[in-house]
């Protein structure tokens, strides 16, 4: 998962669709969304339309990104990020996703000159796969 957020290119495990890094820093092979967002926040820190899309509708067919949209808003002097997630696998991948999303938030906050605020998650499908059931129950302190 770390590679998905840090290395631009296709992800073989995800039907060769673009990595999150590609979607952030070379959206549809054309636009660095992070640079665009930082510039937008520098020009107008109070903007209500500081949003990055992780969905590339012209090419996404085999895999639809679990992390769909990142929305930033300065509130009470801090830069909050709301991550809209189609799905998060809490048995295996969610923890790394949350760490990487927070690192992205910190980077954008630092570059825009706004102190980092809250990371807010909206998750449509918080789930785990049966292959991870024993691990999840152990974490929850229940018997497998």
């Amino acid at each position: 998962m770390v590679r998905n957020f840090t290395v631009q290119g296709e992800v073989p495990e995800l039907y060769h669709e673009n990595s999150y890094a590609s979607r952030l820093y070379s959206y549809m092979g054309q636009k660095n969304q992070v640079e665009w967002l930082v510039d937008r926040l520098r020009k107008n820190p109070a903007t209500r339309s500081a949003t990055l899309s992780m969905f590339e509708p012209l090419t996404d067919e085999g895999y639809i990104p679990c992390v769909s949209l990142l929305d930033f808003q300065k509130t009470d002097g801090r830069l909050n990020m709301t991550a809209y997630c189609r799905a998060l696998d809490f048995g295996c991948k969610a923890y790394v996703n949350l760490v990487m999303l927070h690192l992205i938030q910190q980077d954008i906050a630092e570059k825009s000159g706004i102190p980092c605020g809250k990371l807010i998650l909206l998750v449509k499908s918080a789930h785990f796969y049966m292959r991870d059931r024993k691990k999840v129950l152990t974490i929850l302190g229940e018997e497998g």
Side-chain angles (χ1 to χ4, degrees):
M1 279 310 300
V2 172
R3 185 180 180 285
N4 192 5
F5 280 94
T6 57
V7 178
Q8 292 186 44
E10 293 181 354
V11 181
E13 301 84 1
L14 302 176
Y15 302 94
H16 297 278
E17 298 290 359
N18 287 332
S19 67
Y20 285 140
S22 294
R23 295 163 191 272
L24 289 169
Y25 302 103
S26 183
Y27 183 80
M28 300 290 298
Q30 299 177 35
K31 185 173 192 164
N32 185 325
Q33 292 195 92
V34 172
E35 281 182 5
W36 172 85
L37 181 79
V38 168
D39 185 55
R40 187 172 192 83
L41 289 166
R42 284 182 183 158
K43 289 178 180 172
N44 180 8
T47 184
R48 298 287 190 237
S49 56
T51 305
L52 305 178
S53 176
M54 302 299 262
F55 183 49
E56 294 181 334
L58 297 178
T59 57
D60 286 336
E61 291 186 21
Y63 170 76
I64 304 299
C66 294
V67 177
S68 307
L69 192 87
L70 304 179
D71 189 71
F72 295 80
Q73 183 173 328
K74 183 179 176 184
T75 305
D76 297 327
R78 298 195 167 277
L79 188 62
N80 295 333
M81 180 176 83
T82 302
Y84 297 88
C85 303
R86 177 186 63 74
L88 281 184
D89 172 5
F90 278 85
C92 187
K93 299 177 189 173
Y95 177 77
V96 175
N97 275 266
L98 297 177
V99 169
M100 298 309 296
L101 288 170
H102 181 63
L103 291 174
I104 291 165
Q105 179 188 13
Q106 284 181 319
D107 180 55
I108 290 171
E110 182 180 308
K111 288 177 178 173
S112 64
I114 304 169
C116 194
K118 297 176 186 175
L119 169 56
I120 303 157
L121 290 178
L122 296 175
V123 182
K124 183 184 85 173
S125 173
H127 63 274
F128 67 89
Y129 295 98
M130 290 309 290
R131 67 177 179 258
D132 299 317
R133 183 177 187 273
K134 186 175 181 180
K135 178 173 61 172
V136 170
L137 291 176
T138 300
I139 291 168
L140 294 173
E142 298 178 16
E143 293 183 25

